Amino acid sequence: MTARDIQLDQNGRLRHFLTTEGLSQQHLYEILDYAESFVGVADRAVKKVPLLRGKTVVNLFFEPSTRTRTTFELAAKRLSADVLNLDVSTSSATKGESLQDTLRTLEAMHCDMFVVRHANSGAAHFIARQVAPHVRVINGGDGRHAHPTQALLDLFTIRRHKPDIASLRVAIVGDVAHSRVARSEIHALNTLGAREVRVVGPRTLIPSEIEAMGVRVFHDVSQGLADVDVIIMLRLQRERMRSALLPSEHEYFHCYGLTQKRLRVARPDAIVMHPGPINRGVEIDSEVADGERSVILQQVSHGIAVRMAIMALIMGSVVPASAAED
Ligand code: CP
């Protein structure tokens, strides 16, 4: 059974959230539209809505994370769920407990949702197949396969600046080969009918068959950035590289790093994005990362609203947007 099959119920509604591949425009817009209703929650004196009251969410992170883990925790708390953060490095996994036994143990505590990050591609899919029927699973990033909530929060941020997605040229720049974010974004942008999705980077960091995903490949950064509306920078994911694929970080910055000068070939109102963590002076210059075209910190803030929407949707806790805004 594919991730696509397992994440939808028999009525085609989201049951788990594992990948953007195979999701329809309707699925994506349902999340994006619903997330709009949660943005204002952050401005309230009491930053809470009761949609997941009585539910227990477990953050199960087998790989390091700052943004994804903390924004999922905040999102779950703002939905009034109880939240457990299992620190895998100090859990009984270090004493040889299998993933299945860890899951069964947590299920015995009547947990309702697992948010999973794992170094192995397919880990969230594997867990979704193991859990009891009432339990929901969200992929917080698995190997180089998928990071679907990052893709959705990126789309949300893009749409807030540039509502007509069909008119946009988007360039994804850097280590596409090891990027789960790039894969999830390419699927989602193509489903929403973006005018053009480009991938830009050295031959060693762009998969050879990637055109089949519906992207244009550029190895020259000036050509790749010409006239684009959105630039998504990626870091070098050295933890997933099996060999040295680059001469040096200095050389990489010289050839592919985003500087103010390089930014000039994009459209004058182009926005600069990055899923984080950023490596200043490697893939992006500080002047650009902190500059007026950068929406990098907006991406982080939007991650809370988007993750609230996804958690509420898959738990079936959908209320009219106006009620969420009360
Ligand atoms: N974008 C992202 O996944 O960041 P973290 O690794 O900090 O969660």
Side-chain angles (χ1 to χ4, degrees):
M1 194 183 270
T2 66
R4 183 182 167 213
D5 295 332
I6 203 166
Q7 75 177 343
L8 301 180
D9 69 16
Q10 57 196 17
N11 299 314
R13 297 193 60 80
L14 277 171
R15 184 171 120 75
H16 303 292
F17 194 64
L18 307 175
T19 175
T20 54
E21 188 176 4
L23 293 184
S24 64
Q25 280 199 1
Q26 192 185 340
H27 288 123
L28 299 178
Y29 279 126
E30 185 179 29
I31 295 167
L32 297 177
D33 293 344
Y34 197 31
E36 291 287 351
S37 67
F38 292 114
V39 173
V41 174
D43 300 324
R44 298 183 191 174
V46 179
K47 299 177 178 57
K48 278 196 189 288
V49 290
L51 291 174
L52 293 193
R53 188 153 56 199
K55 303 292 183 191
T56 302
V57 175
V58 183
N59 276 328
L60 203 51
F61 277 55
F62 295 86
E63 239 194 13
S65 166
T66 296
R67 280 145 288 268
T68 310
R69 200 197 64 72
T70 52
T71 55
F72 262 116
E73 181 174 353
L74 273 178
K77 286 178 172 170
R78 288 184 186 175
L79 290 167
S80 306
D82 296 319
V83 185
L84 290 178
N85 289 303
L86 187 73
D87 182 353
V88 177
S89 66
T90 56
S91 77
S92 289
T94 61
K95 298 182 221 162
E97 185 172 69
S98 72
L99 177 57
Q100 273 154 314
D101 284 330
T102 302
L103 285 174
R104 287 201 189 100
T105 302
L106 292 166
E107 279 191 304
M109 299 175 202
H110 304 286
C111 296
D112 301 287
M113 187 183 292
F114 293 112
V115 181
V116 182
R117 169 166 291 190
H118 204 288
N120 292 343
S121 299
H125 178 200
F126 173 81
I127 290 170
R129 280 191 287 137
Q130 307 292 321
V131 294
H134 75 279
V135 175
R136 301 289 182 258
V137 177
I138 297 179
N139 185 359
D142 63 327
R144 61 172 81 180
H145 170 237
H147 196 347
T149 63
Q150 180 72 45
L152 264 289
L153 74 88
D154 289 347
L155 280 173
F156 185 88
T157 305
I158 292 171
R159 195 173 73 154
R160 284 210 139 201
H161 288 270
K162 299 179 181 296
D164 182 13
I165 291 186
S167 70
L168 301 181
R169 287 193 176 98
V170 181
I172 302 174
V173 184
D175 182 6
V176 175
H178 301 95
S179 175
R180 52 198 176 204
V181 175
R183 274 171 192 70
S184 290
E185 282 172 343
I186 291 166
H187 287 304
L189 283 163
N190 281 332
T191 299
L192 294 187
R195 179 174 173 183
E196 188 178 23
V197 183
R198 302 178 179 179
V199 293
V200 184
R203 288 177 201 283
T204 49
L205 297 181
I206 303 286
S208 54
E209 310 279 308
I210 197 154
E211 280 103 337
M213 291 183 75
V215 296
R216 281 186 73 191
V217 175
F218 293 81
H219 299 298
D220 179 281
V221 72
S222 297
Q223 289 173 10
L225 294 183
D227 295 323
V228 298
D229 305 276
V230 178
I231 302 170
I232 302 174
M233 299 304 297
L234 302 173
R235 84 185 159 88
L236 299 174
Q237 290 131 108
R238 293 206 179 274
E239 71 276 19
R240 288 180 218 132
M241 293 183 191
R242 293 207 180 93
S243 57
L245 297 173
L246 295 164
S248 71
E249 289 183 348
H250 179 77
E251 179 72 10
Y252 181 77
F253 183 71
H254 179 69
C255 296
Y256 289 96
L258 188 61
T259 58
Q260 290 287 14
K261 189 173 170 210
R262 289 212 164 108
L263 190 50
R264 282 191 211 118
V265 302
R267 289 184 60 85
D269 60 349
I271 56 170
V272 175
M273 307 179 71
H274 194 310
I278 64 174
N279 288 159
R280 294 167 185 266
V282 180
E283 73 274 6
I284 191 166
D285 194 37
S286 279
E287 232 189 334
V288 179
D290 303 328
E292 60 183 16
R293 313 268 283 279
S294 168
V295 297
I296 294 170
L297 292 178
Q298 292 175 34
Q299 290 172 259
V300 177
S301 303
H302 293 154
I304 301 171
V306 169
R307 288 171 172 136
M308 287 172 80
I310 291 167
M311 285 196 279
L313 275 169
I314 66 172
M315 287 304 294
S317 303
V318 184
V319 294
S322 55
E325 282 161 7
D326 284 348

